[in-house]
């Protein structure tokens, strides 16, 4: 086992940490879990008190929250994907790092409505509609920012990974083709080898079984 152990579920937010680790090309051990009950085992709850992914074991400590993991890994490995305090792009780097969660929470609510809740009678078309609209607005902001740019900052950085994962999931609920700059940026990210590696299922079930989840009539 390496000094770093990443706990991950296929297609979950832990993709961010996995993708980052692959981009940084540092040694680590990947532990994959099924999305569901396995995360509520006593063994796993000792790593993450809510039974969520990711969690990152480093020596005898465990770190959770993707934003914290991104900052920690960039600092630990002095990675050019991070922006240190004092860097002219530090403020924007932090802003997009956290904006990634603003986008992701809409995706998470929509995932709950469309996938986690099994029965139609328990779903709320109103919540689905509202959340899809709010997600679309959040994507519009990214599209505006990306006009004439290749990446969120001047070069590819860890925040493209953080936000990129959120936008990848958003595509299950909002047609991103309506946003030209965002779509080009997303395609650019999806072409990266590290992205493809981080999206491998390794035989685990996909959370998203359909290509698109629209709002029911
Ligand atoms: N803000 C946290 C969110 C972590 C999170 O909610 N992860 C989801 C996967 S996308 C999870 O593990 N859900 C399992 C569950 O709620 O049972 C982060 O960025 O790490």
């Amino acid at each position: 086992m390496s000094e770093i152990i990443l706990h991950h579920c296929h297609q979950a937010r832990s993709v961010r940490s996995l993708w980052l680790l692959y981009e940084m090309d540092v040694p680590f051990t990947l532990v994959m879990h099924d999305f569901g009950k396995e995360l509520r085992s006593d063994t796993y709850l000792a790593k993450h008190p809510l039974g969520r992914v990711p969690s990152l074991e480093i020596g005898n400590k465990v770190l959770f929250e993707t934003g914290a993991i991104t900052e920690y890994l960039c600092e630990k490995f002095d990675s050019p994907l991070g922006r240190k305090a004092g860097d002219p792009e530090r403020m924007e780097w932090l802003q997009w790092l956290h904006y990634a969660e603003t986008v992701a929470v809409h995706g998470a609510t929509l995932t709950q409505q469309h996938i986690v809740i099994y029965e139609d009678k328990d779903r709320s078309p109103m919540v689905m509609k509202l959340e899809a609209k709010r997600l679309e607005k959040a994507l519009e902001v990214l599209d505006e920012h990306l006009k004439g740019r290749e990446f969120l900052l001047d070069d590819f950085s860890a925040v493209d990974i953080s936000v990129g994962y959120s936008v990848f999931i958003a595509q299950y609920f909002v047609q991103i083709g309506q946003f030209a700059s965002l779509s080009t940026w997303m395609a650019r990210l999806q072409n990266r080898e590290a992205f493809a590696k981080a999206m491998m299922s390794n035989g685990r079930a996909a959370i998203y079984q359909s290509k698109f989840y629209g709002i029911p009539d």
Side-chain angles (χ1 to χ4, degrees), residues 50-97:
L50 294 177
R52 299 192 189 185
V53 284
S55 64
L56 190 82
E57 295 185 57
I58 314 125
N60 60 358
K61 292 196 173 175
V62 190
L63 181 62
F64 51 84
E65 287 295 329
T66 50
I69 292 171
T70 298
E71 272 200 70
Y72 175 83
L73 288 174
C74 288
E75 280 167 22
K76 179 175 171 68
F77 294 101
D78 198 16
S79 170
L81 300 179
R83 295 293 183 274
K84 291 183 192 140
D87 187 293
E89 287 187 319
R90 171 74 172 175
M91 265 171 69
E92 290 90 338
W93 190 86
L94 285 171
Q95 173 187 281
W96 296 124
L97 180 69

Side-chain angles (χ1 to χ4, degrees), residues 12-13 16 35 39-40 52-54 65-66 101:
R13 281 196 190 67
R16 288 179 183 146
F35 192 76
L39 297 178
R40 298 292 186 275
R52 299 192 189 185
V53 284
E65 287 295 329
T66 50
E101 273 302 276

Side-chain angles (χ1 to χ4, degrees), residues 9-17 34-37 39-40 44 48 50-55 64-69 100-101 104-105 108 111-112 116 165 169 207-208:
C9 290
H10 178 44
Q11 296 183 326
R13 281 196 190 67
S14 45
V15 164
R16 288 179 183 146
S17 314
D34 283 328
F35 192 76
K37 277 198 192 125
L39 297 178
R40 298 292 186 275
Y44 189 68
H48 191 308
L50 294 177
R52 299 192 189 185
V53 284
S55 64
F64 51 84
E65 287 295 329
T66 50
I69 292 171
E101 273 302 276
V105 289
T111 302
Q112 193 173 59
V116 179
Y165 165 76
I169 297 306
I207 299 172
Y208 305 94

